Amino acid sequence: MLQLMIATVLFLVMMFGIGFILNMLLKTTWFPIYLFIIALIVLGIWAPWDDSATTTIQNFAHYTVIDYIPVLGALVGAYVSGWAIQALRKGGYKMF
């Protein structure tokens, strides 16, 4: 349980930092969320795909709730980075 909490917070902070830097460099707001979803599809669905499984549901049955919680933490971090950049731009900061 401790590893789950640490991993979730770590992924949240990591995605916030990466998303904030991407938003500053590329002058976008929600690009990190789109990039995260694309990476999630490629790495989470396509990479471990089992050809011997007969249905798509059988491939997703290998994941548990413990696997999804850090992913949701990272998604929240990407969202918060977009929200922070948007709030800074509305506050008048031209750098962001």
Coordinates of all heavy atoms in Angstrom, one line a residue:
M1 N 0.8 -1.2 0.0 CA 0.0 0.0 0.0 C 0.9 1.3 0.0 O 0.5 2.2 -0.6 CB -0.9 0.0 1.2 CG -2.0 0.9 1.1 SD -3.0 0.6 -0.3 CE -4.6 1.1 0.2
L2 N 2.0 1.2 0.7 CA 2.9 2.4 0.8 C 3.5 2.6 -0.6 O 3.6 3.8 -1.0 CB 4.0 2.1 1.8 CG 5.0 3.3 2.0 CD1 4.2 4.5 2.5 CD2 6.1 2.9 3.0
Q3 N 3.9 1.5 -1.3 CA 4.4 1.7 -2.6 C 3.4 2.3 -3.6 O 3.8 3.1 -4.5 CB 4.9 0.4 -3.2 CG 6.1 -0.2 -2.5 CD 5.8 -1.3 -1.6 OE1 4.6 -1.5 -1.2 NE2 6.8 -2.0 -1.1
L4 N 2.1 2.0 -3.5 CA 1.1 2.5 -4.3 C 1.0 4.0 -4.1 O 0.9 4.8 -5.1 CB -0.2 1.8 -4.0 CG -1.4 2.3 -4.8 CD1 -1.2 2.1 -6.3 CD2 -2.7 1.7 -4.3
M5 N 0.9 4.4 -2.9 CA 0.8 5.9 -2.6 C 2.0 6.6 -3.1 O 1.9 7.7 -3.7 CB 0.6 6.1 -1.1 CG -0.7 5.6 -0.6 SD -1.0 6.0 1.1 CE 0.3 5.2 2.0
I6 N 3.2 6.1 -2.9 CA 4.4 6.8 -3.3 C 4.5 6.8 -4.9 O 4.8 7.8 -5.4 CB 5.7 6.1 -2.8 CG1 5.8 6.3 -1.3 CG2 7.0 6.5 -3.4 CD1 6.8 5.5 -0.5
A7 N 4.1 5.7 -5.5 CA 4.1 5.7 -7.0 C 3.1 6.7 -7.5 O 3.4 7.4 -8.5 CB 3.8 4.3 -7.5
T8 N 1.9 6.8 -6.9 CA 0.9 7.7 -7.4 C 1.4 9.1 -7.3 O 1.2 9.9 -8.2 CB -0.4 7.4 -6.7 OG1 -0.8 6.1 -6.8 CG2 -1.5 8.3 -7.2
V9 N 1.9 9.5 -6.1 CA 2.4 10.8 -6.0 C 3.6 11.1 -6.9 O 3.7 12.2 -7.5 CB 2.7 11.1 -4.5 CG1 3.4 12.4 -4.3 CG2 1.5 11.0 -3.6
L10 N 4.4 10.2 -7.0 CA 5.6 10.3 -7.9 C 5.2 10.6 -9.4 O 5.7 11.5 -10.0 CB 6.5 9.1 -7.8 CG 7.8 9.1 -8.7 CD1 8.7 10.2 -8.2 CD2 8.4 7.8 -8.7
F11 N 4.2 9.8 -9.8 CA 3.7 10.0 -11.2 C 3.0 11.3 -11.4 O 3.1 11.9 -12.4 CB 2.8 8.8 -11.7 CG 3.6 7.6 -12.0 CD1 3.3 6.3 -11.4 CD2 4.7 7.6 -12.9 CE1 4.0 5.2 -11.7 CE2 5.4 6.4 -13.2 CZ 5.0 5.2 -12.6
L12 N 2.3 11.7 -10.4 CA 1.6 13.0 -10.4 C 2.5 14.1 -10.5 O 2.4 15.0 -11.4 CB 0.7 13.1 -9.2 CG -0.2 14.4 -9.2 CD1 -1.6 14.0 -8.6 CD2 0.3 15.5 -8.4
V13 N 3.5 14.1 -9.7 CA 4.6 15.2 -9.7 C 5.4 15.2 -11.0 O 5.7 16.2 -11.6 CB 5.4 15.1 -8.4 CG1 6.6 16.0 -8.5 CG2 4.6 15.4 -7.2
M14 N 5.7 13.9 -11.4 CA 6.5 13.8 -12.6 C 5.8 14.3 -13.8 O 6.3 15.1 -14.7 CB 6.9 12.4 -12.8 CG 7.9 12.1 -14.0 SD 8.5 10.4 -14.1 CE 7.0 9.5 -14.2
M15 N 4.5 14.0 -14.0 CA 3.7 14.4 -15.1 C 3.4 15.9 -15.0 O 3.3 16.6 -16.0 CB 2.4 13.6 -15.2 CG 2.6 12.4 -16.0 SD 3.3 12.5 -17.7 CE 2.0 13.5 -18.5
F16 N 3.3 16.4 -13.8 CA 3.1 17.9 -13.7 C 4.3 18.6 -14.1 O 4.2 19.6 -14.9 CB 2.8 18.3 -12.2 CG 2.7 19.7 -12.0 CD1 1.5 20.4 -12.3 CD2 3.8 20.5 -11.5 CE1 1.4 21.8 -12.2 CE2 3.7 21.8 -11.3 CZ 2.5 22.5 -11.7
G17 N 5.5 18.1 -13.7 CA 6.7 18.8 -14.2 C 7.0 18.7 -15.7 O 7.3 19.7 -16.3
I18 N 6.8 17.5 -16.2 CA 7.0 17.4 -17.7 C 6.0 18.2 -18.4 O 6.3 18.8 -19.4 CB 6.9 15.9 -18.0 CG1 8.1 15.1 -17.5 CG2 6.8 15.7 -19.5 CD1 8.0 13.6 -17.6
G19 N 4.7 18.1 -18.0 CA 3.7 18.9 -18.7 C 3.9 20.4 -18.6 O 3.7 21.1 -19.5
F20 N 4.3 20.9 -17.4 CA 4.6 22.3 -17.2 C 5.7 22.8 -18.2 O 5.6 23.8 -18.8 CB 5.0 22.6 -15.8 CG 4.9 24.0 -15.4 CD1 3.6 24.5 -15.0 CD2 6.0 24.8 -15.4 CE1 3.5 25.9 -14.7 CE2 5.9 26.2 -15.1 CZ 4.6 26.7 -14.7
I21 N 6.8 22.0 -18.3 CA 7.9 22.3 -19.1 C 7.5 22.3 -20.6 O 7.8 23.2 -21.4 CB 9.1 21.4 -18.9 CG1 9.7 21.7 -17.5 CG2 10.2 21.5 -20.0 CD1 10.7 20.7 -17.0
L22 N 6.7 21.2 -21.0 CA 6.2 21.2 -22.4 C 5.3 22.4 -22.7 O 5.4 22.9 -23.8 CB 5.4 19.9 -22.6 CG 6.3 18.6 -22.9 CD1 5.4 17.4 -23.0 CD2 7.0 18.8 -24.2
N23 N 4.5 22.7 -21.7 CA 3.6 23.9 -22.0 C 4.3 25.2 -22.1 O 4.0 26.0 -22.9 CB 2.6 24.0 -20.8 CG 1.5 23.0 -20.9 OD1 1.1 22.6 -22.0 ND2 1.0 22.6 -19.7
M24 N 5.4 25.3 -21.4 CA 6.2 26.5 -21.5 C 7.0 26.6 -22.8 O 7.0 27.6 -23.5 CB 7.2 26.7 -20.4 CG 6.6 27.1 -19.1 SD 7.9 27.6 -17.9 CE 9.0 26.3 -17.8
L25 N 7.5 25.4 -23.2 CA 8.3 25.4 -24.5 C 7.5 25.4 -25.7 O 7.9 26.1 -26.7 CB 9.2 24.1 -24.5 CG 10.3 24.1 -23.4 CD1 11.0 22.7 -23.5 CD2 11.3 25.2 -23.6
L26 N 6.4 24.8 -25.7 CA 5.6 24.7 -26.9 C 4.4 25.7 -27.0 O 3.7 25.7 -28.0 CB 5.0 23.2 -27.1 CG 6.1 22.1 -27.2 CD1 5.4 20.8 -27.2 CD2 6.9 22.3 -28.4
K27 N 4.2 26.4 -25.9 CA 3.1 27.4 -25.8 C 1.8 26.8 -26.1 O 0.9 27.3 -26.8 CB 3.4 28.6 -26.8 CG 4.6 29.3 -26.6 CD 4.6 30.2 -25.5 CE 5.8 31.0 -25.4 NZ 5.9 31.8 -24.2
T28 N 1.6 25.6 -25.5 CA 0.3 24.9 -25.6 C -0.3 24.8 -24.2 O 0.4 25.1 -23.2 CB 0.4 23.5 -26.2 OG1 1.2 22.7 -25.3 CG2 1.0 23.5 -27.6
T29 N -1.5 24.4 -24.1 CA -2.1 24.2 -22.8 C -2.4 22.8 -22.5 O -2.1 22.3 -21.4 CB -3.4 25.1 -22.7 OG1 -3.1 26.4 -23.0 CG2 -4.0 25.0 -21.3
W30 N -3.1 22.1 -23.4 CA -3.5 20.7 -23.1 C -2.7 19.7 -23.8 O -3.1 18.5 -23.8 CB -5.0 20.6 -23.3 CG -5.8 21.6 -22.6 CD1 -6.5 22.6 -23.1 CD2 -5.9 21.7 -21.1 NE1 -7.0 23.3 -22.0 CE2 -6.7 22.8 -20.8 CE3 -5.4 20.9 -20.1 CZ2 -7.0 23.1 -19.5 CZ3 -5.7 21.3 -18.8 CH2 -6.5 22.4 -18.5
F31 N -1.6 20.0 -24.4 CA -0.8 19.1 -25.2 C -0.3 17.9 -24.3 O -0.3 16.7 -24.8 CB 0.4 19.8 -25.9 CG 1.3 18.9 -26.6 CD1 0.9 18.2 -27.8 CD2 2.6 18.6 -26.2 CE1 1.7 17.4 -28.5 CE2 3.4 17.7 -26.8 CZ 3.0 17.1 -28.0
P32 N 0.1 18.1 -23.1 CA 0.6 17.0 -22.3 C -0.5 15.9 -22.0 O -0.1 14.7 -22.0 CB 1.1 17.6 -21.0 CG 1.4 19.0 -21.3 CD 0.5 19.4 -22.4
I33 N -1.7 16.3 -21.9 CA -2.8 15.3 -21.8 C -2.9 14.5 -23.0 O -3.0 13.2 -23.0 CB -4.1 16.0 -21.4 CG1 -4.0 16.5 -20.0 CG2 -5.3 15.0 -21.5 CD1 -5.2 17.2 -19.5
Y34 N -2.9 15.1 -24.2 CA -3.0 14.4 -25.4 C -1.8 13.5 -25.6 O -2.0 12.3 -26.0 CB -3.1 15.3 -26.6 CG -4.3 16.3 -26.5 CD1 -4.1 17.6 -26.9 CD2 -5.5 15.9 -26.1 CE1 -5.2 18.5 -26.8 CE2 -6.6 16.8 -26.0 CZ -6.4 18.1 -26.4 OH -7.4 19.0 -26.3
L35 N -0.6 13.9 -25.3 CA 0.6 13.1 -25.4 C 0.5 12.0 -24.5 O 0.9 10.8 -24.8 CB 1.8 14.0 -25.2 CG 3.2 13.3 -25.3 CD1 3.3 12.9 -26.8 CD2 4.3 14.3 -24.9
F36 N 0.0 12.2 -23.2 CA -0.1 11.1 -22.3 C -1.0 10.0 -22.7 O -0.8 8.8 -22.6 CB -0.5 11.7 -20.9 CG -0.7 10.6 -19.8 CD1 0.4 10.1 -19.3 CD2 -1.9 10.2 -19.4 CE1 0.3 9.1 -18.3 CE2 -2.1 9.3 -18.5 CZ -1.0 8.7 -17.9
I37 N -2.2 10.4 -23.3 CA -3.2 9.5 -23.8 C -2.6 8.7 -24.9 O -2.8 7.4 -25.0 CB -4.5 10.2 -24.1 CG1 -5.1 10.7 -22.8 CG2 -5.4 9.2 -24.9 CD1 -6.3 11.5 -23.0
I38 N -1.9 9.3 -25.8 CA -1.3 8.6 -27.0 C -0.2 7.6 -26.4 O -0.2 6.4 -26.9 CB -0.7 9.6 -28.0 CG1 -1.8 10.3 -28.7 CG2 0.2 8.8 -29.0 CD1 -1.3 11.5 -29.5
A39 N 0.6 8.0 -25.5 CA 1.6 7.1 -24.9 C 1.0 6.0 -24.2 O 1.5 4.9 -24.2 CB 2.6 7.9 -24.0
L40 N -0.1 6.3 -23.5 CA -0.8 5.3 -22.7 C -1.4 4.2 -23.7 O -1.3 3.0 -23.4 CB -2.0 5.9 -21.9 CG -2.7 5.0 -21.0 CD1 -1.8 4.5 -19.9 CD2 -3.9 5.7 -20.5
I41 N -1.9 4.6 -24.8 CA -2.5 3.7 -25.8 C -1.4 2.8 -26.3 O -1.5 1.6 -26.4 CB -3.2 4.4 -26.9 CG1 -4.5 5.0 -26.3 CG2 -3.5 3.5 -28.1 CD1 -5.3 5.9 -27.3
V42 N -0.2 3.4 -26.7 CA 0.8 2.7 -27.3 C 1.5 1.7 -26.2 O 1.7 0.5 -26.5 CB 1.9 3.6 -27.8 CG1 3.1 2.9 -28.3 CG2 1.3 4.4 -29.0
L43 N 1.8 2.2 -25.1 CA 2.5 1.4 -24.1 C 1.6 0.5 -23.3 O 2.0 -0.6 -22.9 CB 3.3 2.3 -23.1 CG 4.4 3.1 -23.8 CD1 5.1 4.1 -22.8 CD2 5.5 2.2 -24.4
G44 N 0.4 1.0 -23.0 CA -0.5 0.2 -22.1 C -1.3 -0.8 -22.8 O -1.8 -1.7 -22.2
I45 N -1.6 -0.6 -24.1 CA -2.5 -1.5 -24.8 C -1.8 -2.3 -25.9 O -1.9 -3.5 -25.9 CB -3.7 -0.7 -25.4 CG1 -4.5 0.0 -24.3 CG2 -4.5 -1.6 -26.3 CD1 -5.5 0.9 -24.8
W46 N -1.0 -1.6 -26.7 CA -0.4 -2.3 -27.8 C 0.8 -3.1 -27.4 O 1.0 -4.2 -27.9 CB 0.0 -1.2 -28.9 CG 0.6 -1.8 -30.1 CD1 0.0 -2.6 -31.1 CD2 2.0 -1.8 -30.4 NE1 0.9 -3.0 -32.0 CE2 2.1 -2.5 -31.6 CE3 3.1 -1.2 -29.9 CZ2 3.4 -2.7 -32.3 CZ3 4.3 -1.3 -30.5 CH2 4.4 -2.1 -31.7
A47 N 1.7 -2.6 -26.6 CA 2.9 -3.3 -26.2 C 2.7 -4.7 -25.6 O 3.3 -5.6 -26.0 CB 3.8 -2.4 -25.4
P48 N 1.9 -4.8 -24.5 CA 1.7 -6.1 -23.9 C 0.6 -6.9 -24.5 O 0.1 -7.9 -23.9 CB 1.4 -5.7 -22.5 CG 0.6 -4.5 -22.6 CD 1.3 -3.7 -23.7
W49 N 0.2 -6.6 -25.7 CA -1.0 -7.3 -26.4 C -0.6 -8.8 -26.5 O 0.4 -9.2 -27.0 CB -1.3 -6.7 -27.7 CG -2.6 -7.1 -28.3 CD1 -2.8 -8.1 -29.2 CD2 -3.9 -6.6 -27.9 NE1 -4.1 -8.2 -29.4 CE2 -4.8 -7.3 -28.7 CE3 -4.3 -5.6 -27.1 CZ2 -6.2 -7.0 -28.6 CZ3 -5.6 -5.3 -27.0 CH2 -6.6 -6.0 -27.7
D50 N -1.6 -9.6 -26.1 CA -1.4 -11.1 -26.2 C -2.3 -11.6 -27.4 O -3.5 -11.5 -27.4 CB -1.9 -11.7 -24.9 CG -1.7 -13.2 -24.9 OD1 -0.9 -13.7 -25.7 OD2 -2.2 -13.9 -24.0
D51 N -1.6 -12.1 -28.4 CA -2.3 -12.6 -29.6 C -3.1 -13.8 -29.3 O -4.0 -14.1 -30.1 CB -1.3 -12.8 -30.7 CG -0.7 -11.5 -31.3 OD1 -1.4 -10.5 -31.2 OD2 0.4 -11.6 -31.8
S52 N -2.8 -14.6 -28.3 CA -3.5 -15.8 -28.0 C -4.9 -15.5 -27.3 O -5.7 -16.4 -27.3 CB -2.7 -16.7 -27.1 OG -2.5 -16.1 -25.9
A53 N -5.1 -14.3 -26.8 CA -6.4 -13.9 -26.2 C -7.4 -13.8 -27.3 O -7.1 -13.2 -28.4 CB -6.2 -12.7 -25.4
T54 N -8.6 -14.3 -27.1 CA -9.6 -14.3 -28.1 C -10.4 -12.9 -28.2 O -10.8 -12.6 -29.2 CB -10.6 -15.4 -27.9 OG1 -11.2 -15.3 -26.6 CG2 -9.9 -16.8 -28.1
T55 N -10.5 -12.2 -27.1 CA -11.2 -11.0 -27.1 C -10.3 -9.9 -26.5 O -9.3 -10.1 -25.8 CB -12.5 -11.1 -26.2 OG1 -12.1 -11.3 -24.9 CG2 -13.4 -12.1 -26.8
T56 N -10.7 -8.7 -26.7 CA -10.0 -7.5 -26.2 C -10.1 -7.4 -24.7 O -9.2 -7.0 -24.0 CB -10.6 -6.2 -26.8 OG1 -10.5 -6.3 -28.2 CG2 -9.8 -5.0 -26.4
I57 N -11.3 -7.8 -24.2 CA -11.5 -7.8 -22.7 C -10.5 -8.7 -22.0 O -10.0 -8.4 -20.9 CB -12.9 -8.2 -22.4 CG1 -13.9 -7.3 -23.1 CG2 -13.2 -8.3 -20.9 CD1 -13.8 -5.8 -22.7
Q58 N -10.1 -9.8 -22.6 CA -9.1 -10.7 -22.0 C -7.8 -10.0 -21.8 O -7.0 -10.3 -20.9 CB -9.0 -12.0 -22.8 CG -10.2 -12.9 -22.6 CD -10.0 -14.2 -23.4 OE1 -9.2 -14.3 -24.3 NE2 -10.8 -15.2 -23.1
N59 N -7.4 -9.2 -22.8 CA -6.2 -8.4 -22.7 C -6.2 -7.4 -21.6 O -5.2 -7.2 -20.9 CB -5.8 -7.7 -24.0 CG -5.2 -8.7 -25.0 OD1 -4.3 -9.4 -24.7 ND2 -5.8 -8.7 -26.2
F60 N -7.3 -6.8 -21.3 CA -7.4 -5.8 -20.3 C -7.6 -6.5 -18.9 O -7.5 -5.8 -17.9 CB -8.6 -4.8 -20.5 CG -8.3 -3.9 -21.7 CD1 -9.2 -3.9 -22.7 CD2 -7.2 -3.1 -21.7 CE1 -9.0 -3.0 -23.8 CE2 -7.0 -2.3 -22.8 CZ -7.8 -2.2 -23.8
A61 N -8.0 -7.7 -18.9 CA -8.2 -8.4 -17.6 C -6.9 -8.7 -16.8 O -7.0 -8.9 -15.6 CB -8.9 -9.8 -17.9
H62 N -5.8 -8.5 -17.5 CA -4.5 -8.7 -16.8 C -4.2 -7.5 -15.9 O -3.4 -7.7 -15.0 CB -3.4 -8.9 -17.8 CG -3.6 -10.1 -18.7 ND1 -3.4 -11.4 -18.2 CD2 -3.9 -10.2 -20.0 CE1 -3.6 -12.2 -19.2 NE2 -3.9 -11.6 -20.3
Y63 N -4.8 -6.4 -16.1 CA -4.5 -5.2 -15.3 C -5.5 -5.2 -14.1 O -6.6 -5.7 -14.2 CB -4.7 -3.9 -16.1 CG -3.8 -3.7 -17.2 CD1 -4.2 -3.7 -18.5 CD2 -2.4 -3.6 -17.0 CE1 -3.4 -3.5 -19.6 CE2 -1.5 -3.4 -18.0 CZ -2.0 -3.4 -19.3 OH -1.1 -3.2 -20.4
T64 N -5.0 -4.7 -13.0 CA -5.9 -4.6 -11.8 C -6.0 -3.2 -11.4 O -5.5 -2.3 -12.0 CB -5.3 -5.4 -10.6 OG1 -4.0 -4.8 -10.3 CG2 -5.1 -6.9 -11.0
V65 N -6.8 -2.9 -10.4 CA -7.0 -1.6 -9.9 C -5.7 -0.9 -9.4 O -5.5 0.2 -9.6 CB -8.0 -1.6 -8.7 CG1 -8.2 -0.2 -8.1 CG2 -9.4 -2.1 -9.2
I66 N -4.8 -1.7 -8.9 CA -3.5 -1.3 -8.5 C -2.7 -0.7 -9.7 O -1.9 0.2 -9.5 CB -2.7 -2.4 -7.8 CG1 -3.5 -2.9 -6.6 CG2 -1.3 -2.0 -7.4 CD1 -3.8 -1.9 -5.5
D67 N -2.9 -1.3 -10.8 CA -2.2 -0.8 -12.0 C -2.8 0.5 -12.5 O -2.1 1.3 -13.1 CB -2.3 -1.8 -13.1 CG -1.6 -3.1 -12.8 OD1 -0.6 -3.1 -12.1 OD2 -2.1 -4.2 -13.2
Y68 N -4.1 0.7 -12.3 CA -4.8 1.9 -12.8 C -4.6 3.2 -12.0 O -4.6 4.3 -12.5 CB -6.3 1.7 -13.0 CG -6.6 0.7 -14.1 CD1 -7.2 -0.5 -13.9 CD2 -6.2 1.0 -15.4 CE1 -7.5 -1.4 -14.9 CE2 -6.5 0.1 -16.5 CZ -7.2 -1.0 -16.2 OH -7.5 -1.9 -17.2
I69 N -4.4 3.0 -10.7 CA -4.3 4.1 -9.8 C -3.1 5.0 -10.1 O -3.3 6.3 -10.2 CB -4.3 3.7 -8.3 CG1 -5.7 3.1 -8.0 CG2 -4.0 4.8 -7.3 CD1 -5.8 2.5 -6.6
P70 N -1.9 4.5 -10.3 CA -0.8 5.4 -10.7 C -1.0 6.1 -12.0 O -0.6 7.3 -12.2 CB 0.5 4.5 -10.7 CG 0.1 3.4 -9.8 CD -1.3 3.2 -10.0
V71 N -1.6 5.4 -12.9 CA -1.9 6.0 -14.2 C -2.9 7.2 -14.1 O -2.7 8.2 -14.7 CB -2.5 4.9 -15.2 CG1 -3.0 5.6 -16.5 CG2 -1.5 3.9 -15.5
L72 N -3.9 7.0 -13.2 CA -4.8 8.1 -12.9 C -4.1 9.3 -12.2 O -4.4 10.4 -12.5 CB -6.0 7.6 -12.1 CG -7.0 6.7 -12.8 CD1 -8.0 6.2 -11.9 CD2 -7.6 7.5 -14.0
G73 N -3.1 9.0 -11.4 CA -2.3 10.0 -10.7 C -1.5 10.8 -11.8 O -1.4 12.0 -11.7
A74 N -1.0 10.1 -12.8 CA -0.2 10.8 -13.8 C -1.2 11.6 -14.7 O -0.8 12.8 -15.1 CB 0.5 9.8 -14.7
L75 N -2.4 11.1 -14.9 CA -3.3 11.9 -15.7 C -3.7 13.2 -15.0 O -3.9 14.3 -15.6 CB -4.5 11.1 -16.1 CG -5.6 11.7 -17.0 CD1 -5.0 12.0 -18.3 CD2 -6.7 10.7 -17.2
V76 N -3.9 13.1 -13.7 CA -4.2 14.3 -12.9 C -3.1 15.2 -12.9 O -3.3 16.5 -13.0 CB -4.6 13.8 -11.4 CG1 -4.6 15.0 -10.5 CG2 -5.9 13.1 -11.4
G77 N -1.8 14.8 -12.9 CA -0.7 15.6 -12.9 C -0.6 16.4 -14.3 O -0.3 17.6 -14.3
A78 N -1.0 15.7 -15.4 CA -1.0 16.3 -16.7 C -2.1 17.4 -16.7 O -1.9 18.5 -17.3 CB -1.2 15.3 -17.8
Y79 N -3.2 17.1 -16.2 CA -4.3 18.1 -16.1 C -4.0 19.3 -15.3 O -4.2 20.4 -15.7 CB -5.6 17.4 -15.6 CG -6.7 18.4 -15.4 CD1 -7.4 18.9 -16.5 CD2 -7.1 18.9 -14.2 CE1 -8.4 19.8 -16.4 CE2 -8.1 19.8 -14.0 CZ -8.7 20.3 -15.1 OH -9.7 21.2 -15.0
V80 N -3.4 19.1 -14.1 CA -3.0 20.2 -13.3 C -2.0 21.1 -13.9 O -2.0 22.3 -13.7 CB -2.6 19.6 -11.9 CG1 -2.0 20.8 -11.0 CG2 -3.8 19.0 -11.2
S81 N -1.1 20.5 -14.7 CA -0.1 21.3 -15.4 C -0.7 22.2 -16.4 O -0.4 23.4 -16.5 CB 1.0 20.4 -16.0 OG 0.5 19.8 -17.1
G82 N -1.7 21.7 -17.1 CA -2.4 22.5 -18.1 C -3.3 23.6 -17.4 O -3.3 24.7 -17.8
W83 N -3.9 23.2 -16.3 CA -4.6 24.2 -15.5 C -3.7 25.3 -14.9 O -4.1 26.5 -14.9 CB -5.4 23.5 -14.4 CG -6.2 24.4 -13.5 CD1 -7.4 25.0 -13.8 CD2 -5.7 25.0 -12.2 NE1 -7.7 25.8 -12.7 CE2 -6.8 25.8 -11.8 CE3 -4.6 24.8 -11.5 CZ2 -6.7 26.5 -10.6 CZ3 -4.5 25.5 -10.3 CH2 -5.6 26.3 -9.8
A84 N -2.5 24.9 -14.4 CA -1.6 25.9 -13.9 C -1.1 26.9 -15.0 O -1.1 28.1 -14.7 CB -0.4 25.2 -13.2
I85 N -0.8 26.4 -16.1 CA -0.4 27.3 -17.2 C -1.5 28.2 -17.6 O -1.3 29.4 -17.9 CB 0.1 26.4 -18.4 CG1 1.4 25.8 -18.1 CG2 0.2 27.2 -19.7 CD1 2.6 26.7 -18.0
Q86 N -2.7 27.7 -17.7 CA -3.8 28.5 -18.1 C -4.1 29.6 -17.0 O -4.4 30.7 -17.4 CB -5.1 27.6 -18.2 CG -6.3 28.3 -18.9 CD -7.4 27.3 -19.1 OE1 -7.5 26.4 -18.3 NE2 -8.2 27.6 -20.1
A87 N -4.0 29.3 -15.8 CA -4.1 30.3 -14.7 C -3.0 31.3 -14.8 O -3.3 32.5 -14.6 CB -4.2 29.6 -13.4
L88 N -1.8 30.9 -15.1 CA -0.7 31.9 -15.2 C -0.9 32.8 -16.4 O -0.7 34.0 -16.3 CB 0.6 31.2 -15.3 CG 1.1 30.5 -14.0 CD1 2.3 29.6 -14.3 CD2 1.5 31.6 -13.0
R89 N -1.4 32.3 -17.5 CA -1.7 33.1 -18.7 C -2.8 34.1 -18.4 O -2.7 35.2 -18.8 CB -2.0 32.2 -19.9 CG -0.8 31.5 -20.4 CD -1.2 30.8 -21.7 NE 0.0 30.0 -22.1 CZ -0.1 28.8 -22.6 NH1 -1.2 28.2 -22.7 NH2 1.0 28.1 -22.9
K90 N -3.9 33.6 -17.7 CA -4.9 34.6 -17.4 C -4.5 35.6 -16.4 O -5.0 36.7 -16.3 CB -6.1 33.8 -16.8 CG -6.9 33.0 -17.8 CD -8.1 32.3 -17.2 CE -8.9 31.6 -18.2 NZ -10.0 30.8 -17.6
G91 N -3.5 35.3 -15.6 CA -2.9 36.2 -14.6 C -2.0 37.3 -15.2 O -1.6 38.2 -14.5
G92 N -1.8 37.1 -16.5 CA -1.0 38.1 -17.2 C 0.5 37.8 -17.4 O 1.2 38.6 -17.9
Y93 N 0.9 36.6 -17.1 CA 2.3 36.2 -17.3 C 2.5 35.9 -18.8 O 1.9 34.9 -19.3 CB 2.7 35.1 -16.4 CG 2.7 35.5 -14.9 CD1 1.6 35.3 -14.1 CD2 3.9 36.0 -14.4 CE1 1.7 35.6 -12.8 CE2 3.9 36.4 -13.1 CZ 2.8 36.2 -12.3 OH 2.9 36.6 -11.0
K94 N 3.3 36.6 -19.5 CA 3.5 36.4 -20.9 C 4.5 35.3 -21.2 O 4.5 34.7 -22.3 CB 4.0 37.7 -21.6 CG 3.0 38.9 -21.4 CD 1.9 38.7 -22.3 CE 1.0 39.9 -22.2 NZ -0.3 39.7 -22.8
M95 N 5.3 35.0 -20.2 CA 6.3 33.9 -20.4 C 5.6 32.6 -20.6 O 6.2 31.7 -21.3 CB 7.2 33.9 -19.2 CG 8.3 32.9 -19.3 SD 9.3 32.9 -17.8 CE 10.1 31.4 -17.8
F96 N 4.5 32.4 -20.0 CA 3.9 31.1 -20.1 C 2.8 31.0 -21.2 O 2.0 30.3 -21.4 CB 3.2 30.7 -18.7 CG 4.2 30.7 -17.6 CD1 4.2 31.7 -16.7 CD2 5.2 29.8 -17.5 CE1 5.1 31.7 -15.6 CE2 6.1 29.7 -16.5 CZ 6.1 30.7 -15.5

